[in-house]
Amino acid sequence: MYCNAINEVIETKILAPSLSPEALSLAITGAMASTQNRGERSSGSVSLVMFLIIVLFSLRGVSGQSPVFACDVSKNPGLGAFGFCNCSLGIAARVDDLVKRLTLQEKVGFLVNKAGAVSRLGIPSYEWWSEALHGVSYVGPGTHFSNVIPGATSFPMVILTAASFNTSLFEAIGKVVSTEARAMYNVGLAGLTFWSPNVNIFRDPRWGRGQETPGEDPLLSSKYAAGYVKGLQQSDDGDVNRLKVAACCKHYTAYDIDNWKGVDRYHFNALVTKQDLDDTFQPPFKSCVIDGNVASVMCSYNQVNGKPTCADPDLLAGVIRGEWQLNGYIVSDCDSVGVLYNNQHYTKTPEEAAAKSILAGLDLNCGSFLGQHTEAAVKAGLLNESAVDKAISNNFATQMRLGFFDGDPSKQLYGKLGPKDVCTPQNQELAREAAQQGIVLLKNSPGSLPLSPTSIKSLAVIGPNANVTKTMIGNYEGTPCRYTTPLQGLTASVPTLYQPGCPNVACSTAQLDDAKKIASQADATVLVVGADLSIEAESRDRVDIRLPGQQALLVTEIAKVAKGPVILVIMSGGGMDISFAKNDDKVTSILWVGYPGEAGGAAIADVIFGYYNPSGRLPMTWYPQEFADKVPMTNMNMRPDPATGYPGRTYRFYTGETIYSFGDGLSYSPVSHHLASAPKLVSIPLGEEHVCQFQKCKSIDLLESSCQNLAFDIHLRVKNMGRMGGSHTVFLFTTPPSVYNAPKKHLLGFQKVSLTAQSEQLIKFKVDVCKDLSVVDELGSRKVALGAHVLHVGSLKHSLNVRI
Ligand SMILES: *[C@@H]1O[C@H](CO)[C@@H](O)[C@H](O)[C@H]1NC(C)=O
Ligand SMILES: *[C@@H]1O[C@H](CO)[C@@H](O)[C@H](O)[C@H]1NC(C)=O
Ligand SMILES: *[C@@H]1O[C@H](CO)[C@@H](O)[C@H](O)[C@H]1NC(C)=O
Ligand SMILES: *[C@@H]1O[C@H](CO)[C@@H](O)[C@H](O)[C@H]1NC(C)=O
């Protein structure tokens, strides 16, 4: 029991947050900076009033060194008598007690991210909005850095971490981030509620926010969501009712467009089939809630089939809270409720917009809309006060699980965490490991990588991203502990010569002469090219998916004159059409490094010099430019349409040419797979009354009781044939019989294993027939197709007959 809201030694403290004019102007500058950095913001929706409110409430965070919490009995002993401050009571009883004490006006103040204060009850204002996509972030007004904690560990962007295919890494990163977040909370620099991760499916290479996601595959995204959320949330004492910090899976749902050719997310109506919704867009959210037990889901800006997601009772109350049983709160994107009224004109009045969204199941509004219009909506009879009670109860219950109502946090479970626990050498080492594990080797001609650090006497390092810092940490970033740029990472091993070759990633004019000179002299050349947030970002989708400006010219010209091997390093979130380099024999190796985080340069050098054997695999398809020219980004269909020539999307459906494919990635050691055991036949027992006994069926329904608990094992022997130890991801794909427009293949499971040189391991996959072999039909029901399912591991194929 860590609660000490009551029965604690009462000491009188005089808290006088008197601020000097300097501190005030510092606070205002800080708040302005964070306002400019804010991502989750509909354009132009920050009113001056809201801004001033943010400034005023930021004062505590910027200047103060104590956390925000309720039930501070040391200041007000009378609070100990309130049931909601009494930790011996259950959470539901405490929440009920609190809600009963509030007026309607006060209640409405708890529906917005800048939640109101009720001083008579000892409740301070709380800022719900913090972010921790790949490290504690300053985006979101709830979190700041100061001289007390100037930076936090900045991990790679999620798309690169996903490329590691290492589920324990996903969780390990979440755990470090939540430790640093709690440490920052304890000194008044962070909140407890973080609106991360982003688990939207990366269905189109042009999407500016693809870098934030775990890629295009529903299974990988589901595993990432559950793993990262567990790492963030799981309480050190194992109590499932307690949260270390609260995570949030966003943006629910089918939100994968920001701003493409004038179509923006505030106006986009995603037309999504039931089938695509259920087998592509929903699975990561479902897993986040069910497997990850996440404390929050954020609804998106866009509409799905004509309804704004934040006002859709089927998607919110029906699916998230009903089917998936969310234990937590549903929050709107910032400022989705305003957007559905102002931009989408979904309702006639603002009161109706407030009522519709709360009745649909929305609990918290990022923004101020519900704070402004909900009271009037209740008075107009558009919703009952009980609906408001339900919403704020979900919010309060989350805060209770975080210990917010338990009194002084310094006397609780995480009370000892502080500045010494942020940016520790171990945490920063994990950032380097994550980048190592994610980096993907896409091409490697004999004699190219790894470079020998002893025989390379000089290395030419060229390219607009060769010596970048901030580019490596992408968006939803924080201030990192430190940076190691690619140039610095490489220079730590060998003498280098450096030329940027382009003034920036846009590279309107390549500066070839000096760059060619150093490449022609050096023993090897590393070219670091790609994109940054000026090319792909929130509110910025691409049209062109080739290397920007004259970067391709730079690469080709350098490769022509280079004396030694030419290593092309692509730093980007989305895939690039780099067919020119893939087909150029002079470009001897290609690496994709995502946006690799604060230690990115060290990890790139580790891979280039063979200190780490590359093991990352692409978590998304790399399409040719032709795809971007031909396919409207607004077409949400996953499946191809032969009638229109639409090629479909992702490795599961796309029928066209690729530059590189999902799962691609080489290692310095070849690995072989052998099937040790797998059944050739699976029989699903059906009751005598079953209709399939009498007529031919092409599939059986997942709900059939006969389908339950039917599983088998596949055993594989995986051998490292090379001279270097390393990690290897084993992918198990399946191709179902072609019924219901099923995917041509889909990932059924993956395991990352570590193999020393020449060693062999036995790998087991347990396959649940109904869960893993099923497909979603056109109406959204899961079915197991009868007939031949082909299992693929590497180049192995195994046919499995499923029958009744
Ligand atoms: C807290 O709740 C417990 C359990 O109901 C009760 O026994 C105790 O008296 C309460 N404490 C206070 C200070 O009200
Ligand atoms: C408010 O509650 C009453 C009584 O339960 C119910 O009949 C009515 O439909 C509710 N109104 C709204 C707008 O939900
Ligand atoms: C590389 O970047 C670092 C960090 O910004 C900077 O200190 C250094 O001067 C740069 N090196 C060169 C050669 O430009
Ligand atoms: C997965 O990540 C963890 C944490 O970095 C690491 O210890 C482990 O070795 C990785 N697994 C493999 C097979 O590489």
Side-chain angles (χ1 to χ4, degrees), residues 309-329:
T309 58
C310 290
D312 186 333
D314 297 325
L315 283 178
L316 304 190
V319 175
I320 302 179
R321 204 165 286 286
E323 281 175 37
W324 300 343
Q325 301 274 299
L326 172 74
N327 178 15
Y329 67 101

PDB file of all heavy atoms in Angstrom, residues 309-329:
ATOM      1  N   THR A 309     -14.982  10.001 -36.385  1.00  0.00           N
ATOM      2  CA  THR A 309     -14.731   8.889 -35.450  1.00  0.00           C
ATOM      3  C   THR A 309     -15.054   9.287 -34.013  1.00  0.00           C
ATOM      4  O   THR A 309     -15.498   8.459 -33.230  1.00  0.00           O
ATOM      5  CB  THR A 309     -13.258   8.436 -35.520  1.00  0.00           C
ATOM      6  OG1 THR A 309     -12.421   9.555 -35.211  1.00  0.00           O
ATOM      7  CG2 THR A 309     -12.907   7.896 -36.894  1.00  0.00           C
ATOM      8  N   CYS A 310     -14.846  10.550 -33.663  1.00  0.00           N
ATOM      9  CA  CYS A 310     -15.079  10.970 -32.274  1.00  0.00           C
ATOM     10  C   CYS A 310     -16.556  11.139 -31.948  1.00  0.00           C
ATOM     11  O   CYS A 310     -16.911  11.468 -30.821  1.00  0.00           O
ATOM     12  CB  CYS A 310     -14.323  12.267 -31.975  1.00  0.00           C
ATOM     13  SG  CYS A 310     -12.531  12.050 -31.920  1.00  0.00           S
ATOM     14  N   ALA A 311     -17.423  10.949 -32.937  1.00  0.00           N
ATOM     15  CA  ALA A 311     -18.860  11.052 -32.669  1.00  0.00           C
ATOM     16  C   ALA A 311     -19.576   9.799 -33.154  1.00  0.00           C
ATOM     17  O   ALA A 311     -20.774   9.818 -33.398  1.00  0.00           O
ATOM     18  CB  ALA A 311     -19.425  12.292 -33.348  1.00  0.00           C
ATOM     19  N   ASP A 312     -18.818   8.709 -33.282  1.00  0.00           N
ATOM     20  CA  ASP A 312     -19.418   7.473 -33.798  1.00  0.00           C
ATOM     21  C   ASP A 312     -19.639   6.476 -32.657  1.00  0.00           C
ATOM     22  O   ASP A 312     -18.688   5.877 -32.149  1.00  0.00           O
ATOM     23  CB  ASP A 312     -18.485   6.882 -34.866  1.00  0.00           C
ATOM     24  CG  ASP A 312     -19.102   5.676 -35.565  1.00  0.00           C
ATOM     25  OD1 ASP A 312     -19.947   4.985 -34.947  1.00  0.00           O
ATOM     26  OD2 ASP A 312     -18.744   5.412 -36.727  1.00  0.00           O
ATOM     27  N   PRO A 313     -20.890   6.305 -32.244  1.00  0.00           N
ATOM     28  CA  PRO A 313     -21.167   5.438 -31.096  1.00  0.00           C
ATOM     29  C   PRO A 313     -20.799   3.971 -31.345  1.00  0.00           C
ATOM     30  O   PRO A 313     -20.453   3.252 -30.410  1.00  0.00           O
ATOM     31  CB  PRO A 313     -22.670   5.583 -30.862  1.00  0.00           C
ATOM     32  CG  PRO A 313     -23.222   6.197 -32.104  1.00  0.00           C
ATOM     33  CD  PRO A 313     -22.101   6.914 -32.787  1.00  0.00           C
ATOM     34  N   ASP A 314     -20.832   3.545 -32.614  1.00  0.00           N
ATOM     35  CA  ASP A 314     -20.454   2.148 -32.883  1.00  0.00           C
ATOM     36  C   ASP A 314     -18.957   1.955 -32.668  1.00  0.00           C
ATOM     37  O   ASP A 314     -18.532   0.987 -32.037  1.00  0.00           O
ATOM     38  CB  ASP A 314     -20.832   1.754 -34.310  1.00  0.00           C
ATOM     39  CG  ASP A 314     -22.339   1.819 -34.524  1.00  0.00           C
ATOM     40  OD1 ASP A 314     -23.071   1.495 -33.562  1.00  0.00           O
ATOM     41  OD2 ASP A 314     -22.774   2.216 -35.617  1.00  0.00           O
ATOM     42  N   LEU A 315     -18.172   2.892 -33.195  1.00  0.00           N
ATOM     43  CA  LEU A 315     -16.711   2.756 -33.076  1.00  0.00           C
ATOM     44  C   LEU A 315     -16.234   2.958 -31.630  1.00  0.00           C
ATOM     45  O   LEU A 315     -15.314   2.281 -31.191  1.00  0.00           O
ATOM     46  CB  LEU A 315     -16.007   3.778 -33.982  1.00  0.00           C
ATOM     47  CG  LEU A 315     -15.956   3.458 -35.477  1.00  0.00           C
ATOM     48  CD1 LEU A 315     -15.276   4.592 -36.239  1.00  0.00           C
ATOM     49  CD2 LEU A 315     -15.198   2.142 -35.724  1.00  0.00           C
ATOM     50  N   LEU A 316     -16.844   3.895 -30.904  1.00  0.00           N
ATOM     51  CA  LEU A 316     -16.351   4.185 -29.546  1.00  0.00           C
ATOM     52  C   LEU A 316     -17.066   3.292 -28.512  1.00  0.00           C
ATOM     53  O   LEU A 316     -16.509   2.290 -28.072  1.00  0.00           O
ATOM     54  CB  LEU A 316     -16.519   5.671 -29.202  1.00  0.00           C
ATOM     55  CG  LEU A 316     -15.867   6.695 -30.157  1.00  0.00           C
ATOM     56  CD1 LEU A 316     -15.914   8.097 -29.560  1.00  0.00           C
ATOM     57  CD2 LEU A 316     -14.437   6.338 -30.509  1.00  0.00           C
ATOM     58  N   ALA A 317     -18.289   3.651 -28.163  1.00  0.00           N
ATOM     59  CA  ALA A 317     -18.998   2.874 -27.125  1.00  0.00           C
ATOM     60  C   ALA A 317     -19.151   1.412 -27.537  1.00  0.00           C
ATOM     61  O   ALA A 317     -18.975   0.498 -26.736  1.00  0.00           O
ATOM     62  CB  ALA A 317     -20.365   3.500 -26.845  1.00  0.00           C
ATOM     63  N   GLY A 318     -19.453   1.200 -28.807  1.00  0.00           N
ATOM     64  CA  GLY A 318     -19.710  -0.164 -29.270  1.00  0.00           C
ATOM     65  C   GLY A 318     -18.467  -1.031 -29.269  1.00  0.00           C
ATOM     66  O   GLY A 318     -18.415  -2.067 -28.601  1.00  0.00           O
ATOM     67  N   VAL A 319     -17.442  -0.599 -29.999  1.00  0.00           N
ATOM     68  CA  VAL A 319     -16.266  -1.457 -30.168  1.00  0.00           C
ATOM     69  C   VAL A 319     -15.259  -1.286 -29.024  1.00  0.00           C
ATOM     70  O   VAL A 319     -14.938  -2.244 -28.315  1.00  0.00           O
ATOM     71  CB  VAL A 319     -15.583  -1.202 -31.533  1.00  0.00           C
ATOM     72  CG1 VAL A 319     -14.292  -2.002 -31.651  1.00  0.00           C
ATOM     73  CG2 VAL A 319     -16.537  -1.564 -32.671  1.00  0.00           C
ATOM     74  N   ILE A 320     -14.778  -0.066 -28.799  1.00  0.00           N
ATOM     75  CA  ILE A 320     -13.677   0.089 -27.832  1.00  0.00           C
ATOM     76  C   ILE A 320     -14.143  -0.268 -26.418  1.00  0.00           C
ATOM     77  O   ILE A 320     -13.494  -1.033 -25.712  1.00  0.00           O
ATOM     78  CB  ILE A 320     -13.114   1.529 -27.811  1.00  0.00           C
ATOM     79  CG1 ILE A 320     -12.623   1.948 -29.194  1.00  0.00           C
ATOM     80  CG2 ILE A 320     -11.968   1.635 -26.806  1.00  0.00           C
ATOM     81  CD1 ILE A 320     -12.072   3.361 -29.246  1.00  0.00           C
ATOM     82  N   ARG A 321     -15.266   0.315 -26.019  1.00  0.00           N
ATOM     83  CA  ARG A 321     -15.681   0.062 -24.642  1.00  0.00           C
ATOM     84  C   ARG A 321     -16.514  -1.214 -24.519  1.00  0.00           C
ATOM     85  O   ARG A 321     -16.377  -1.970 -23.561  1.00  0.00           O
ATOM     86  CB  ARG A 321     -16.457   1.259 -24.078  1.00  0.00           C
ATOM     87  CG  ARG A 321     -16.391   1.295 -22.560  1.00  0.00           C
ATOM     88  CD  ARG A 321     -16.813   2.609 -21.975  1.00  0.00           C
ATOM     89  NE  ARG A 321     -15.836   3.671 -22.148  1.00  0.00           N
ATOM     90  CZ  ARG A 321     -14.694   3.763 -21.464  1.00  0.00           C
ATOM     91  NH1 ARG A 321     -14.367   2.842 -20.570  1.00  0.00           N
ATOM     92  NH2 ARG A 321     -13.860   4.759 -21.673  1.00  0.00           N
ATOM     93  N   GLY A 322     -17.330  -1.476 -25.537  1.00  0.00           N
ATOM     94  CA  GLY A 322     -18.194  -2.654 -25.487  1.00  0.00           C
ATOM     95  C   GLY A 322     -17.438  -3.945 -25.779  1.00  0.00           C
ATOM     96  O   GLY A 322     -17.185  -4.747 -24.887  1.00  0.00           O
ATOM     97  N   GLU A 323     -17.024  -4.118 -27.038  1.00  0.00           N
ATOM     98  CA  GLU A 323     -16.381  -5.382 -27.418  1.00  0.00           C
ATOM     99  C   GLU A 323     -15.016  -5.565 -26.766  1.00  0.00           C
ATOM    100  O   GLU A 323     -14.668  -6.655 -26.335  1.00  0.00           O
ATOM    101  CB  GLU A 323     -16.170  -5.427 -28.933  1.00  0.00           C
ATOM    102  CG  GLU A 323     -17.408  -5.770 -29.732  1.00  0.00           C
ATOM    103  CD  GLU A 323     -17.142  -5.664 -31.229  1.00  0.00           C
ATOM    104  OE1 GLU A 323     -16.034  -6.022 -31.677  1.00  0.00           O
ATOM    105  OE2 GLU A 323     -18.052  -5.201 -31.949  1.00  0.00           O
ATOM    106  N   TRP A 324     -14.217  -4.503 -26.740  1.00  0.00           N
ATOM    107  CA  TRP A 324     -12.840  -4.660 -26.266  1.00  0.00           C
ATOM    108  C   TRP A 324     -12.697  -4.363 -24.781  1.00  0.00           C
ATOM    109  O   TRP A 324     -11.643  -4.616 -24.194  1.00  0.00           O
ATOM    110  CB  TRP A 324     -11.890  -3.757 -27.066  1.00  0.00           C
ATOM    111  CG  TRP A 324     -11.868  -4.027 -28.547  1.00  0.00           C
ATOM    112  CD1 TRP A 324     -12.329  -5.145 -29.199  1.00  0.00           C
ATOM    113  CD2 TRP A 324     -11.358  -3.154 -29.575  1.00  0.00           C
ATOM    114  NE1 TRP A 324     -12.145  -5.012 -30.552  1.00  0.00           N
ATOM    115  CE2 TRP A 324     -11.544  -3.809 -30.817  1.00  0.00           C
ATOM    116  CE3 TRP A 324     -10.757  -1.894 -29.560  1.00  0.00           C
ATOM    117  CZ2 TRP A 324     -11.157  -3.239 -32.030  1.00  0.00           C
ATOM    118  CZ3 TRP A 324     -10.372  -1.325 -30.771  1.00  0.00           C
ATOM    119  CH2 TRP A 324     -10.573  -2.003 -31.991  1.00  0.00           C
ATOM    120  N   GLN A 325     -13.729  -3.785 -24.181  1.00  0.00           N
ATOM    121  CA  GLN A 325     -13.727  -3.558 -22.731  1.00  0.00           C
ATOM    122  C   GLN A 325     -12.573  -2.676 -22.258  1.00  0.00           C
ATOM    123  O   GLN A 325     -11.860  -3.016 -21.297  1.00  0.00           O
ATOM    124  CB  GLN A 325     -13.644  -4.907 -21.996  1.00  0.00           C
ATOM    125  CG  GLN A 325     -14.783  -5.849 -22.324  1.00  0.00           C
ATOM    126  CD  GLN A 325     -15.980  -5.602 -21.439  1.00  0.00           C
ATOM    127  OE1 GLN A 325     -15.914  -5.732 -20.215  1.00  0.00           O
ATOM    128  NE2 GLN A 325     -17.079  -5.192 -22.043  1.00  0.00           N
ATOM    129  N   LEU A 326     -12.425  -1.531 -22.911  1.00  0.00           N
ATOM    130  CA  LEU A 326     -11.381  -0.590 -22.477  1.00  0.00           C
ATOM    131  C   LEU A 326     -11.511  -0.274 -20.995  1.00  0.00           C
ATOM    132  O   LEU A 326     -12.581   0.074 -20.518  1.00  0.00           O
ATOM    133  CB  LEU A 326     -11.504   0.718 -23.274  1.00  0.00           C
ATOM    134  CG  LEU A 326     -10.592   1.863 -22.797  1.00  0.00           C
ATOM    135  CD1 LEU A 326      -9.147   1.600 -23.199  1.00  0.00           C
ATOM    136  CD2 LEU A 326     -11.060   3.208 -23.346  1.00  0.00           C
ATOM    137  N   ASN A 327     -10.405  -0.384 -20.271  1.00  0.00           N
ATOM    138  CA  ASN A 327     -10.364   0.061 -18.878  1.00  0.00           C
ATOM    139  C   ASN A 327      -9.605   1.388 -18.893  1.00  0.00           C
ATOM    140  O   ASN A 327      -8.395   1.424 -18.727  1.00  0.00           O
ATOM    141  CB  ASN A 327      -9.631  -0.993 -18.038  1.00  0.00           C
ATOM    142  CG  ASN A 327      -9.498  -0.563 -16.580  1.00  0.00           C
ATOM    143  OD1 ASN A 327     -10.178   0.362 -16.128  1.00  0.00           O
ATOM    144  ND2 ASN A 327      -8.631  -1.237 -15.839  1.00  0.00           N
ATOM    145  N   GLY A 328     -10.338   2.484 -19.122  1.00  0.00           N
ATOM    146  CA  GLY A 328      -9.667   3.770 -19.231  1.00  0.00           C
ATOM    147  C   GLY A 328     -10.549   4.795 -19.927  1.00  0.00           C
ATOM    148  O   GLY A 328     -11.771   4.698 -19.865  1.00  0.00           O
ATOM    149  N   TYR A 329      -9.911   5.745 -20.601  1.00  0.00           N
ATOM    150  CA  TYR A 329     -10.669   6.852 -21.184  1.00  0.00           C
ATOM    151  C   TYR A 329     -10.434   6.975 -22.685  1.00  0.00           C
ATOM    152  O   TYR A 329      -9.386   6.588 -23.198  1.00  0.00           O
ATOM    153  CB  TYR A 329     -10.313   8.179 -20.484  1.00  0.00           C
ATOM    154  CG  TYR A 329      -8.888   8.660 -20.731  1.00  0.00           C
ATOM    155  CD1 TYR A 329      -8.616   9.661 -21.657  1.00  0.00           C
ATOM    156  CD2 TYR A 329      -7.804   8.106 -20.040  1.00  0.00           C
ATOM    157  CE1 TYR A 329      -7.320  10.107 -21.883  1.00  0.00           C
ATOM    158  CE2 TYR A 329      -6.503   8.544 -20.270  1.00  0.00           C
ATOM    159  CZ  TYR A 329      -6.266   9.549 -21.193  1.00  0.00           C
ATOM    160  OH  TYR A 329      -4.987   9.979 -21.412  1.00  0.00           O
TER     161      TYR A 329
END
